[in-house]
Amino acid sequence: KKRKKKMSNFIQTLNDLAKLSQNDRIEKTKAQLTQYISSNLTSADGLIYFIDSITSEEVPLIVSKTLLDFFAASLQPLQTQVHKIVSLHAIEKTSVRVSFEENFVAFLEELALVYRKEEEFVEAAKLLSRIPLDSPNRNYSPSKKAETLLTIAQLFLEDGDPISAEMYVNRCSVPIAQCGNSSPLQLIYKGCYARILDSKRKFSEAAQWYYRLSQVDSSEGELVAEEELLQALSRSITCAILTPAGPDRSKILSILYKDPRSSKLGHMYTMLKSVYFHRTLSKADVDKFASTLEPHQLAKMGDGSTFLDRAITEHNLLSASKIYNNIRFEELGALLQVSPEKAEVMASRMIAEERMKGHIDQIEGILFFENATALETWNSQVEYICQTANDVHEQVIAKYPRFENLTA
């Protein structure tokens, strides 16, 4: 009864205020709305009445639009479920009149925030996708278009739907280009595209995009925390390791290994160094690396193995090619912890795709590796020795900083 009386008084007050001049009506209705919302956080009835009355064609447009704008910004204190009910009703009422397009968008964005906080990412994305960015009635700036499209893409990525996310990132290509290279939105665009490639298991391309993202600095007009840059670098290393073994993988691994920032990444750097120097990876190292991966990076392929299994097995096969001139498939299978048949299939595929040099004697069941030239081997060994010496130097300086400025 108390709630009904409050609502009845609220409705009567709104009707009385409708008799005032436009300015007085607007200001006094704002005050009344603020008071009513603060004392009725769990009730939607009175607010729904307000929406119905203020969207009536009998109300002057300037009054309706001004009060709806204020109303949309005043809903935050409401209980979540009430907030949803009221906002959905406001969206329905404002969607039918072109004059209310700006208010319609405000309610969509407001409700999308509520769904986002509740981690209902798809519902939030669906709401924002209703914003008429190409409307002839309102001129949206390139930055507004790009921001909206990228937010939708981020929401679909949070829900694990890279296909839908990619559609909105692709739509963003024109407005993001119009924003200029110095726009902060460029960073979000690069991040979304990298995550899409990563989610679609296009690890080689994702590694490159994450690396570009890690190189952003203030000289490009984008101030980014070092932690975020290192996180992008770490993701680049992860995707590079998951990339199928071969020249493309070796190229990005070389770039990442020679980046001085990589040494700050702890175990990720240890893993990178092992992979870069073609060292055989132990189960302990692989398990520790696997613990850092996201679910889509641990997904299984058609043969039942994971992308990580494939990457590690192919890596160890390449490592074996640096040690052996030839090897029987029974021995290779035992080394790679797979069946001889699977080892042969993997080796033949890598040779056919020119990711490894060698040939197979199927009659004898032997894999012959075509090893690098003596000069290439020597260069690789020199590089390894130099890097090892550099690692020792860094460890000494870390323990005894006073030696850093000493010269020979």
Side-chain angles (χ1 to χ4, degrees), residues 69-85:
D69 189 48
F70 175 82
F71 184 63
S74 303
L75 299 177
Q76 284 295 335
L78 291 175
Q79 184 191 61
T80 300
Q81 194 57 35
V82 175
H83 195 156
K84 290 179 181 179
I85 293 170

Side-chain angles (χ1 to χ4, degrees), residues 76-140:
Q76 284 295 335
L78 291 175
Q79 184 191 61
T80 300
Q81 194 57 35
V82 175
H83 195 156
K84 290 179 181 179
I85 293 170
V86 172
S87 293
L88 286 170
H89 189 72
I91 288 169
E92 180 186 351
K93 287 294 183 178
T94 54
S95 66
V96 295
R97 287 179 64 180
V98 174
S99 305
F100 289 150
E101 183 176 315
E102 188 174 347
N103 304 112
F104 171 65
V105 171
F107 284 113
L108 288 174
E109 292 177 333
E110 174 64 27
L111 185 54
L113 285 175
V114 176
Y115 280 121
R116 195 168 188 174
K117 288 178 182 177
E118 295 284 299
E119 296 187 359
E120 296 182 56
F121 300 119
V122 173
E123 293 303 318
K126 286 178 180 178
L127 285 169
L128 294 179
S129 67
R130 293 178 63 184
I131 297 176
L133 296 174
D134 299 317
S135 170
N137 304 307
R138 189 179 176 193
N139 186 25
Y140 292 90

Side-chain angles (χ1 to χ4, degrees), residues 200-317:
K200 294 178 71 176
R201 289 96 175 180
K202 295 183 178 181
F203 296 121
S204 179
E205 296 171 72
Q208 296 173 50
W209 274 84
Y210 277 131
Y211 187 66
R212 290 175 198 161
L213 191 60
S214 77
Q215 292 179 302
V216 172
D217 59 34
S218 57
S219 65
E220 298 178 27
E222 298 164 337
L223 296 173
V224 188
E226 184 182 4
E227 281 185 15
E228 294 179 0
L229 298 180
L230 288 176
Q231 185 182 43
L233 182 65
S234 179
R235 287 181 174 178
S236 180
I237 293 172
T238 296
C239 289
I241 293 172
L242 291 173
T243 298
D248 290 342
R249 183 181 190 242
S250 297
K251 184 177 179 181
I252 186 65
L253 285 172
S254 177
I255 293 171
L256 291 165
Y257 179 71
K258 292 173 182 177
D259 190 314
R261 299 173 300 163
S262 295
S263 60
K264 300 178 182 179
L265 296 175
H267 178 263
M268 191 63 72
Y269 176 65
T270 303
M271 188 74 174
L272 171 63
K273 187 159 57 174
S274 297
V275 174
Y276 176 67
F277 284 113
H278 301 288
R279 299 171 187 166
T280 301
L281 299 171
S282 68
K283 186 177 186 302
D285 285 335
V286 174
D287 289 344
K288 193 168 183 179
F289 176 69
S291 68
T292 68
L293 299 182
E294 297 179 21
H296 72 272
Q297 295 168 332
L298 292 169
K300 291 187 177 182
M301 299 183 290
D303 61 357
S305 62
T306 67
F307 288 91
L308 176 61
D309 293 336
R310 179 194 64 183
I312 298 304
T313 305
E314 289 185 354
H315 166 80
N316 285 339
L317 176 52

Side-chain angles (χ1 to χ4, degrees), residues 325-327 351 357-361 366-370:
N325 289 322
N326 58 73
I327 187 172
I351 292 171
K357 293 180 180 180
H359 63 275
I360 295 173
D361 184 335
I366 300 176
L367 170 61
F368 292 87
F369 299 109
E370 294 178 12

